[in-house]
Structures are given as structure tokens and as C-alpha cells.
Amino acid sequence: MAKILVTGGAGYIGSHTCVELLNAGHEVIVFDNLSNSSEESLNRVQQLTNKTLVFVQGDIRFEKELDQVFQEHKIDAVIHFAGLKAVGESQKIPLTYFDHNIAGSIQLMKSMEKAGVFTLVFSSSATVYGELNPSPYQEDMPLSLPNNNYGYTKLMIEQMLQKIALAEMRWSIALLRYFNPVGAHQSGQIGEDPQGTPNNLMPYVTQVAIGRREKLSIFGSDYPTADGTCERDFIHVVDLAKAHVLAVTNRLDQQGCRAWNIGTGIPISVLQIKETFEKVNRIVIPTEFVHRRVGDLAAFYADASRAKNELGWRPQYTLEDMLADSWNWQKQNPNGYKS
Ligand code: NAD
Ligand code: UFG
């Protein structure tokens, strides 16, 4: 069993991963500046697992804060979630994104190197495949510049990680390329709690369902897809969290830098999400069709066979589970962790 530092561990995917790490018997130290999360998520992680974790409030951009954590705890591996993730915002304040995501990741690598910790799992994104690759995306396809600054930071960090692993054999790095994470822990105790207006589809749908928003706007109905709305590969956040436990175990045992897609491989349209949510949860989602959102791709989904073959990872949850669990979380927590 290992001692794992989880940067950004109080956030949506991080908190679910802490549950799976603790349940698998690992020790967890969360390092998070709480800029987009609440410590309450970690209280609930501990209640759910009946185990304790260590929480350190700090910022990955700051050398002293990070170095102190590595001095105080004998860390075996790092799972790195910390960063900013709003695509639209990244177009308005690119420097802030470069600072938190790129400079923050560089500082983390430096502190790890100083402490002699070389095992890292990084939260990447399907966005690194750019606009030209056909779906299903495969890990060895050529990557290209994403059309937004957030995606650019993910590509940059991936490339830096590849290069440090080539230069120093002790590094062992997993690049997990997430598709579209949705859902929540089945207890409804932890889930996605975006600040302000949600950018992503799923929290928007659940906030309409709970009455916090009037209606869902579907961005574009004239895409070259079966029903004209965009298609994505939605993955249950608990399946995604489990992939991190498998990846960190794999990396503690191997060298080099390796990428894995984490998606179901099944394209689902935006309209299907709305209709299936209505059916599974017996709630009507008032909806309007509006013009396309700038930068959206018509469709993309994963070839997840590498994660299956090499990590033994298989998604277990269905689309219906994802939509029922998202609603269960929102229903129990109408105002997120503030309720
Ligand atoms: P989140 O915002 O819920 O979690 C990120 C956490 O990082 C938050 O708790 C935030 O407070 C913390 N943080 C931000 N900047 C920090 C800093 N400088 N120092 C310390 N902590 C900091 O987001 P999430 O959805 O859980 O995403 C986790 C990771 O996965 C991110 O790197 C994100 O880019 C990546 N990712 C997310 C998605 C998605 O759709 N949710 C898709 C692909 C990749
Ligand atoms: N959508 C709507 N209405 C909304 C919100 C979203 O119709 O209110 C649609 C979008 O147009 C898109 C689909 O729902 O077609 C999914 O949108 P999300 O914003 O939930 O997710 P994206 O696929 O745009 O974004 C995801 C990740 C990013 C990543 C990006 C790569 O959240 O981390 O894929 O394209 F960078």
C-alpha cells in the first residue's frame, strides 16, 4: 500500500478518487487551495470510507508549501488533479491558466524531483487529440493544438512530462486522457459542485431539474450526427476514479511515460442525455435549441482498449447509472456543499 499525494483532491474527480484510494487501502494526503472546492467534500470522503486522510491547504505554484508536504510525509506517488478547467474562461484569462496549470505543474515536478518522488498520474483530457483525428481516438494518434487555452495547457504539460521521462529514467508517469466525466458517488454525498453558472452539460441539466436554472440550452442542432446534436463519450466519475487507482499501481511498478484513454467508447448525444435523464429520473427538463457554441467538435469518443488491456480497467456503470447518480447528488444537495 502506498502513501499518495493528491493535488486538487477536494475537487469533483479528486474527491471520488480519494474514496477509491482509501477503500483500496492507500494513505492519502490532499493538497488543494480550495479555489474551486470545499473542505466539506473531504469530510464526506472520510465519513463514506470510515477512514482518515490528511488535508493540507496550499497552492501548487508555491515552492515552499509543496516542499513542506514532501518533507513532512514520505510520499510514494502523486496524482495531480489541481488546475483550472473552464474552457471559456481560459480564453479570457490565458495567463492565469498558464500560471496555475503549466507553472503549477512545473513546480510540482521540481518539488517531486527534489524529494526523490518520481511516480505521477496526470489528469489529461481528450482535448489533446485536437480537431483533426477521427473517432475513436487512440493513444498513439498524433496530437495537435487544441482550439482553446485550457486544452493548450493540457497538451503542454503532457509534452513536458514525456520529455522529463525520456531524460530521467526514474520517472514513471501516467497520462490519463479523460473523456466527459459525469455522475456522482452512489451515496449522493459527494458530487460535482461548480461555482456560478455551470459550463458543462451535466451540472446544467441537474440545476435545471432542481429549479436553480430555468431551462437547458442545447448548443446546436445541425451537427452531422444522428440527431443533429453533439456526441460525447460520457464516463461515470466512479469508473474514472477507479482508473486512477489502477494507474498509480501500474506506475509504481514500471518506468516511462504512458497515455491511457479513459472513456466508455460509446458516443451519446446531448439530446440523448436530456431524454434519458428525463426517463430515468421522471423529470421534465425544459429545453431550447440555440446556436452552436464556438469551439465545440461535432463528436468524439474513445478507443479504451489500451486501458482495458494494460490496466485491467473496465467501466462498470451505464448511462442510466450516470444520470440517476448525478440527480441523486443534486437532489440531496440542492446548493452543492453549501446546503
Ligand atoms: P475541480 O475544479 O473540481 O478540481 C480541481 C481542484 O484543484 C479544485 O479542488 C481546486 O480548488 C484545485 N486547484 C485549482 N488550482 C489549484 C492550485 N493552483 N493549487 C492547488 N489546488 C488548486 O475539477 P475536476 O473536474 O475535478 O478536474 C480535475 C482535473 O481533471 C483538472 O486538472 C481538469 O483539468 C481535469 N479534467 C477534467 C475534466 C472534466 O470534465 N471535469 C475533463 C478532463 C480533464
Ligand atoms: N452543452 C449544451 N448546453 C450546455 C452545456 C453543454 O448543449 O449548457 C453541450 C456542448 O455544446 C457539448 C456537450 O454538451 O456539445 C458537452 O459539453 P461540455 O461542456 O459538458 O463538455 P465538452 O465536451 O465541451 O468539454 C469536455 C471537457 C473539457 C475538455 C473538452 C474537450 O469538459 O475538459 O471536453 O473538447 F477540454
Side-chain angles (χ1 to χ4, degrees):
M1 289 306 116
K3 193 174 265 199
I4 298 172
L5 178 68
V6 184
T7 75
Y12 172 45
I13 306 169
S15 56
H16 287 83
T17 301
C18 288
V19 168
E20 299 306 322
L21 288 168
L22 290 169
N23 282 340
H26 296 294
E27 281 180 64
V28 172
I29 293 130
V30 168
F31 185 86
D32 196 307
N33 67 2
L34 301 181
S35 61
N36 196 38
S37 55
S38 142
E39 203 179 335
E40 176 59 14
S41 66
L42 298 176
N43 296 335
R44 296 190 185 183
V45 165
Q46 294 176 94
Q47 282 159 17
L48 280 174
T49 57
N50 210 14
K51 298 202 169 138
T52 53
L53 55 73
V54 175
F55 173 56
V56 179
Q57 185 164 355
D59 194 302
I60 53 165
R61 294 168 300 166
F62 303 146
E63 183 178 3
K64 274 196 185 142
E65 295 180 7
L66 266 184
D67 285 350
Q68 200 176 338
V69 178
F70 283 104
Q71 277 157 16
E72 284 177 9
H73 303 275
K74 211 189 154 317
I75 309 281
D76 297 303
V78 178
I79 303 183
H80 176 32
F81 294 104
L84 304 180
K85 62 162 186 176
V87 172
E89 185 184 63
S90 77
Q91 297 303 94
K92 295 186 190 125
I93 48 168
L95 253 187
T96 306
Y97 273 68
F98 301 157
D99 190 28
H100 283 262
N101 294 10
I102 300 176
S105 296
I106 293 174
Q107 183 53 59
L108 176 65
M109 295 176 230
K110 283 161 85 174
S111 294
M112 287 177 69
E113 198 170 53
K114 211 188 293 178
V117 180
F118 291 97
T119 304
L120 176 67
V121 177
F122 173 60
S123 297
S124 189
S125 163
T127 194
V128 299
Y129 289 104
E131 299 181 68
L132 300 177
N133 282 306
S135 281
Y137 290 160
Q138 290 169 330
E139 289 86 348
D140 51 11
M141 283 175 165
L143 305 181
S144 64
L145 268 186
N147 61 12
N148 63 79
N149 295 322
Y150 162 76
Y152 170 72
T153 68
K154 292 292 174 192
L155 182 64
M156 281 285 293
I157 299 162
E158 273 210 12
Q159 290 177 339
M160 284 190 290
L161 292 171
Q162 302 264 17
K163 288 180 197 301
I164 62 167
L166 273 181
E168 161 60 78
M169 297 302 284
R170 281 178 294 174
W171 280 103
S172 181
I173 299 171
L175 309 172
L176 296 189
R177 295 180 183 153
Y178 312 160
F179 283 69
N180 288 59
V182 295
H185 190 269
Q186 277 205 304
S187 63
Q189 286 299 297
I190 56 172
E192 188 168 13
D193 183 22
Q195 319 287 305
T197 309
N199 301 297
N200 296 110
L201 177 64
M202 202 62 240
Y204 209 101
V205 169
T206 58
Q207 289 194 10
V208 172
I210 203 76
R212 276 169 68 181
R213 316 253 159 219
E214 192 190 337
K215 59 179 178 249
L216 170 71
S217 301
I218 294 186
F219 301 139
S221 53
D222 57 352
Y223 283 99
T225 56
D227 65 23
T229 66
C230 290
E231 291 173 348
R232 294 289 181 271
D233 182 338
F234 296 93
I235 173 78
H236 197 295
V237 67
V238 173
D239 278 329
L240 177 57
K242 288 180 175 166
H244 290 77
V245 181
L246 294 169
V248 82
T249 307
N250 171 286
R251 290 293 91 186
L252 282 164
D253 206 35
Q254 315 254 339
Q255 287 176 327
C257 185
R258 189 86 174 141
W260 286 283
N261 288 337
I262 308 295
T264 61
I266 305 168
I268 301 288
S269 77
V270 175
L271 193 57
Q272 265 177 290
I273 289 284
K274 165 202 146 65
E275 289 175 353
T276 314
F277 186 94
E278 292 181 323
K279 199 167 92 200
V280 168
N281 298 314
R282 299 200 180 91
I283 295 175
V284 174
I285 303 293
T287 302
E288 63 176 352
F289 289 95
V290 298
H291 46 76
R292 293 179 178 195
R293 186 171 70 177
V294 176
D296 275 340
L297 301 188
F300 61 86
Y301 55 98
D303 175 340
S305 51
R306 184 187 280 187
K308 195 188 275 179
N309 296 336
E310 296 180 0
L311 300 177
W313 177 79
R314 276 172 189 69
Q316 289 163 350
Y317 293 97
T318 64
L319 178 63
E320 284 75 13
D321 296 330
M322 300 180 208
L323 301 177
D325 291 342
S326 291
W327 176 230
N328 185 34
W329 149 254
Q330 186 75 79
K331 205 169 38 177
Q332 289 191 46
N333 304 272
N335 296 307
Y337 289 111
K338 283 189 275 307
S339 40

